Structure formats: structure tokens, C-alpha cells
Amino acid sequence: MASSNAAQVLLCVVKWIFHLIPVLKNRIPKPGGWLMSLLTLGYGGDKLLKLEFLSEYYFYYGLFKFESKIYIFNPRLVRHAINKLEKGAEHYLENSPLKNTLLGSSQKYPETRRAIASLFRKTSIEERAAIMMGDIQEMCEKFRGEPNGVVNVTKWSFLMALDIVGHVLLELDFHALGKKQEEMIRAMAVLHKCYALGEITSDSEEFREANTKFDDITHVVLEEALNIDDDTMQRKRLVKSLHDACGFNEAKDNMKLFLLAGTETTASTIPVALYLLVKYPRLQDELRKEAEELLESVMADPTKLLPKIESFLSEVLRLYPIAPFISRQIYEPVTLGDIHLDQHADVIIFTWGIHRSTHLWDRARDFLPFRFLNNSKTSGNMYIPFGAGSRVCIGQHLAWLELRLALAMMLYQFKFEHAHETPELRFVVDWVHAVIHPDKDLLFRVVSTQNETIKL
């Protein structure tokens, strides 16, 4: 610990000296052996913290090269990269169940997205808010039944998110909160062990079995969904739109994407948000007061604002962006600003570094829950928790509505406190799918408030 702290101090001194040296134009810098050794002394094997330091170290260049990838964090260069470069995932999703999804193919992405875009519009998602609130309330009832009042928020928020994906996107009843999707959940947990925790590899028998099981389950789910009579529906369903646009196999693969990506934001962000509210109990009380004042009107009209809760969530997603980077692939030589990039270069838009940059944000490393209360979320591309441009996350409106409703409904009904079982907040990174997760399930003590039971 002492050597680590000393190395971090030395790194700060080295950074200060480096910033005195004039910038060499038209150059992509990369750390030398001595700097890499110092980074290892200071941050061990934590790659995310190393990259965060390097984004500050090379700030005046706006980019740097690390492990053969080019990391970009200058807002102007980021804007160019988002608009000019293709989604690049085929090469690193080779062994992923998401390889053939709209996430993994730049060629298939525009056509597939056009086919389903209307179902992800803000108004379309808000029309299904009542269904979403039903799943949130079911999760809250599960909280009440936990022994000793200690709740695994990570587990229950994941199951809630899975049911919301089923109801809101696929118009299917998964009953995950009722523990009726155990095989699917076990398969998804094994994929998490591989990509996020690194406990197994993608060529292990455990992974292959889980991947096959997940494929079999989504195959059956899609078949059942396609057999539903659309004449009883008010609109064309997502599964039918996917099937018509890209056929059965690709529709099945994209269902995997919605199941995995549709649960990750919620299952990662809600526990982190509650961890911070437990750490700052006065803030929790202030947000609860807003929930008590506004929840009834928001439940009647989900377009109504929850100003303080929304500012708090925006700050959570700034300081802990669940998607810490965005990958782009260069298929032909291109120029970004003054920088020439060769064909087949891997470009990473480093959201984590952008959101935590001391050059772009006041008190960048501090958690300021009301930072966004009277300010716009965006300034150029400095705030991009869901990406930006034409390839912005298609599920952003679902995720945002889900987070704000869930937090308001939970705070209205419960007080969250630290428990003996509550771990420290640390993160692991799924470098394949560009997602961070708390490294352990987050558990909290839950105490019911005196507020009346929510009636839906």
C-alpha cells in the first residue's frame, strides 16, 4: 500500500512535468516502459485506473495508444470519431453470443435499427410505463420478504430488469421475479463469470455449455413469441419486427442482446446509486422527500420531472458510466482533426476518461449529486453515458425511465442502510462488451417507511 501510494504521488509529479513540455503535433503518443512500470506500481492490474491516468497525462494530445488501441477523449476528436467511424465489434466479439447482433455488425446495424427504432422512441417507452411500474413494485414486495431485512439489491434489480425487458420490449411474461427463469439466469451468470469477472475463458467447457443453453432458451422464447396472434396487439411487436427484418436466427441473436444489455444498466446502476445514498444519508432523505411530493403525479404522467432524482442519476452515470468506452473500427484511412489514422486501427472513445477529466469538469472526481440540477447534461460530447450521434444506445429511453421510476418508488417505500454484508464499491470491466459492474453483489439493510403502500 505504501509503495502504491508513493508511486501514485510520483505519477502526479511526472504528469505535471510532462504538461510543461510542448505538444508534438500530428502524433499519437504512447507510454514507454518506465511509465508503464510506474503505472503498475501505482495501480497494479487495474487497467481502468491506468487508462484514467493516461487520459489526464496525455490530455493536451487528446488521444494516446495503449495495447494496440487508440484511446480518444478530446471532445472535438470524439465528435469526429462518432460521426465518421463505423461501429467496430466484429473482430472482438468473435466468441461472444452477441457476435451476429446489431451491436456486432456495422453492415447489419442500420437496417435492423430502422426496423425497430419506432418501438424504442421515448413516447413509445413512456406508453408502457404502467407495466414497468408493476415490475418495479413487485421487486419492492420481494424486498419486504427478505430475512433480517438485508436485501441483495443487485440480484433483485437484475430480475426486475429481466421482467421489464420481457414486458416492455418483447411483450412476454418471463416471471423472473417469480424465479421462473432459473436456467436462463444461470446461463447469463456464467457469461458474466467469463467476460466481467474473468474467472473462466470463452473456450472452457462451462462457457460453451452456458452459451449453448442461452442459445437454446432464446430459440424457444422466440418461437413462442412468434406464435402469438398479432391481431390482439395494438402495434407490431419487437420480435415480429426483428424477424421480418433479419430472419429467425438473427432475430434470436438480437433477442440475446436485449436480454443482456437490457438488464446490465439497471442491475449495475441501481446498486451503485443506493450505495451512494447509503453513504450520504442526508441526500437519501432529500431525494425521498422529492419522491413523496412528486411520485403520485409521475406515476400518473411519466413525463413529469423528478429534478433532484434525475440530477442525482445523471451524476451517477457521469462518475460511474456503465458503458466506460465506445469502440469504433477504421476500414479505410481517415483523418480526425490533425491526426491521420491507418486502415484497421481500433479506436476507443474513452467515456470514463471524458466524464472524469479535470480539464473538462469542475471537481471532476467529486460526487456532486445536484451538479445537473440547473445545467444541461451535455456540453459537446463531454457527457455521453449512452453514446452519441446516430449510433446512440437504442435503449437509452427505456433505461432512463426505468432508473428514475425505480429509484423514486424504492425511496418512497424504504430507507436503505449499511449492513454487515455490504461490500466496498469496486468495479470489474467487461472489456469485450464495454460494460462495468460492481465486483460483488451489493446488499443493504432495508427499513420500510411510514408512507402508504403504492397502489397501481
Side-chain angles (χ1 to χ4, degrees):
M1 178 64 74
S3 61
S4 172
N5 290 339
Q8 290 178 28
V9 171
L10 184 54
L11 281 166
C12 289
V13 173
V14 169
K15 179 179 67 175
W16 180 80
I17 295 172
F18 182 74
H19 285 175
L20 298 176
I21 301 172
V23 173
L24 299 177
K25 292 185 177 182
N26 306 321
R27 175 173 172 251
I28 303 176
K30 63 179 180 180
W34 66 270
L35 182 54
M36 289 299 298
S37 297
L38 202 53
L39 285 170
T40 300
L41 281 174
Y43 300 114
D46 195 326
K47 181 178 173 180
L48 190 63
L49 287 181
K50 292 178 182 178
L51 293 171
E52 182 178 336
F53 173 84
L54 289 172
S55 66
E56 291 286 287
Y57 187 81
Y58 291 119
F59 175 78
Y60 294 109
Y61 285 86
L63 76 173
F64 62 88
K65 193 169 187 178
F66 184 87
E67 294 181 348
S68 77
K69 293 180 172 59
I70 299 168
Y71 289 80
I72 296 177
F73 43 88
N74 174 279
R76 181 174 59 89
L77 295 179
V78 166
R79 190 176 299 111
H80 287 176
I82 285 175
N83 293 330
K84 294 176 72 171
L85 303 184
E86 294 289 342
K87 288 176 70 73
E90 295 97 323
H91 59 301
Y92 63 83
L93 288 178
E94 183 64 33
N95 296 315
S96 167
L98 305 185
K99 176 185 177 183
N100 295 316
T101 66
L102 58 87
L103 176 68
S105 175
S106 57
Q107 285 74 35
K108 298 170 185 175
Y109 178 84
E111 179 184 350
T112 306
R113 179 160 182 147
R114 280 194 298 271
I116 61 176
S118 64
L119 302 172
F120 285 90
R121 288 183 187 137
K122 187 171 182 286
T123 52
S124 297
I125 295 297
E126 288 171 346
E127 287 172 0
R128 305 188 69 75
I131 298 172
M132 189 182 295
M133 287 186 278
D135 290 326
I136 295 169
Q137 185 57 25
E138 185 178 352
M139 177 187 70
C140 290
E141 294 304 322
K142 297 295 183 182
F143 286 5
R144 301 182 198 279
E146 289 285 16
N148 304 318
V150 176
V151 172
N152 185 332
V153 171
T154 301
K155 179 188 78 172
W156 287 117
S157 59
F158 170 80
L159 297 177
M160 175 201 71
L162 191 55
D163 276 343
I164 287 175
V165 169
H167 285 138
V168 175
L169 293 186
L170 307 177
E171 301 190 47
L172 298 170
D173 289 321
F174 285 143
H175 300 292
L177 284 163
K179 299 185 176 180
K180 293 185 179 180
Q181 291 294 336
E182 293 299 309
E183 285 192 333
M184 181 193 293
I185 292 164
R186 277 196 295 270
M188 294 169 77
V190 172
L191 300 182
H192 179 73
K193 281 177 64 177
C194 173
Y195 294 116
L197 302 179
E199 296 176 354
I200 60 173
T201 61
S202 60
D203 59 358
S204 67
E205 185 64 25
E206 184 178 8
F207 176 87
R208 286 197 296 267
E209 289 179 0
N211 200 16
T212 300
K213 175 60 71 174
F214 192 42
D215 188 79
D216 292 343
I217 291 170
T218 51
H219 185 107
V220 172
V221 169
L222 180 56
E223 282 188 331
E224 293 177 351
L226 291 173
N227 287 330
I228 295 174
D229 184 3
D230 269 0
D231 291 339
T232 64
M233 301 293 175
Q234 294 182 345
R235 59 183 178 181
K236 192 174 183 179
R237 292 174 299 127
L238 175 65
V239 288
K240 188 69 166 60
S241 298
L242 278 173
H243 183 264
D244 291 349
C246 53
F248 186 90
N249 287 332
E250 288 183 25
K252 176 189 66 178
D253 289 334
N254 279 299
M255 278 189 67
K256 296 177 190 176
L257 172 62
F258 298 134
L259 292 171
L260 290 168
T263 55
E264 284 175 335
T265 299
T266 302
S268 294
T269 304
I270 286 179
V272 172
L274 291 179
Y275 183 94
L276 292 167
L277 292 180
V278 167
K279 185 177 181 179
Y280 303 107
R282 290 185 180 177
L283 172 63
Q284 184 180 161
D285 291 341
E286 189 168 356
L287 297 189
R288 180 176 297 104
K289 183 178 179 182
E290 180 177 78
E292 290 169 347
E293 293 172 352
L294 300 178
L295 183 59
E296 184 177 355
S297 63
V298 170
M299 291 178 68
D301 179 2
T303 64
K304 297 284 187 181
L305 298 180
L306 290 159
K308 291 182 178 180
I309 288 175
E310 290 174 26
S311 175
F312 164 73
L313 286 170
S314 295
E315 178 71 347
V316 172
L317 291 173
R318 182 195 69 85
L319 200 57
Y320 306 106
I322 299 306
F325 59 91
I326 304 167
S327 295
R328 288 289 184 265
Q329 178 72 15
I330 298 175
Y331 294 104
E332 57 186 24
V334 68
T335 298
L336 296 181
D338 299 326
I339 304 296
H340 179 77
L341 301 176
D342 295 329
Q343 185 178 6
H344 302 309
D346 285 331
V347 173
I348 303 295
I349 297 163
F350 190 39
T351 307
W352 186 275
I354 294 167
H355 282 193
R356 288 168 159 256
S357 174
T358 58
H359 299 274
L360 301 176
W361 298 88
D362 293 332
R363 298 175 62 186
R365 310 296 168 81
D366 293 340
F367 174 68
L368 304 179
F370 300 138
R371 182 190 297 271
F372 294 98
L373 192 57
N374 297 307
N375 298 296
S376 171
K377 289 182 184 179
T378 59
S379 177
N381 277 313
M382 285 196 302
Y383 185 77
I384 49 173
F386 297 108
S390 61
R391 299 179 183 91
V392 69
C393 172
I394 196 170
Q396 63 170 328
H397 299 307
L398 172 67
W400 184 245
L401 182 61
E402 188 175 349
L403 288 172
R404 58 195 288 274
L405 288 176
L407 192 62
M409 291 174 70
M410 287 190 293
L411 288 175
Y412 181 87
Q413 297 176 82
F414 304 108
K415 294 180 181 179
F416 295 88
E417 301 172 351
H418 188 276
H420 175 73
E421 298 87 346
T422 306
E424 289 297 315
L425 181 61
R426 296 186 178 89
F427 291 98
V428 291
V429 183
D430 178 344
W431 294 101
V432 174
H433 302 108
V435 181
I436 65 166
H437 307 268
D439 68 341
K440 296 180 177 66
D441 285 4
L442 293 178
L443 289 78
F444 306 100
R445 186 171 302 284
V446 173
V447 180
S448 294
T449 65
Q450 299 301 309
N451 292 319
E452 295 180 1
T453 303
I454 290 178
K455 297 178 181 179
L456 297 175

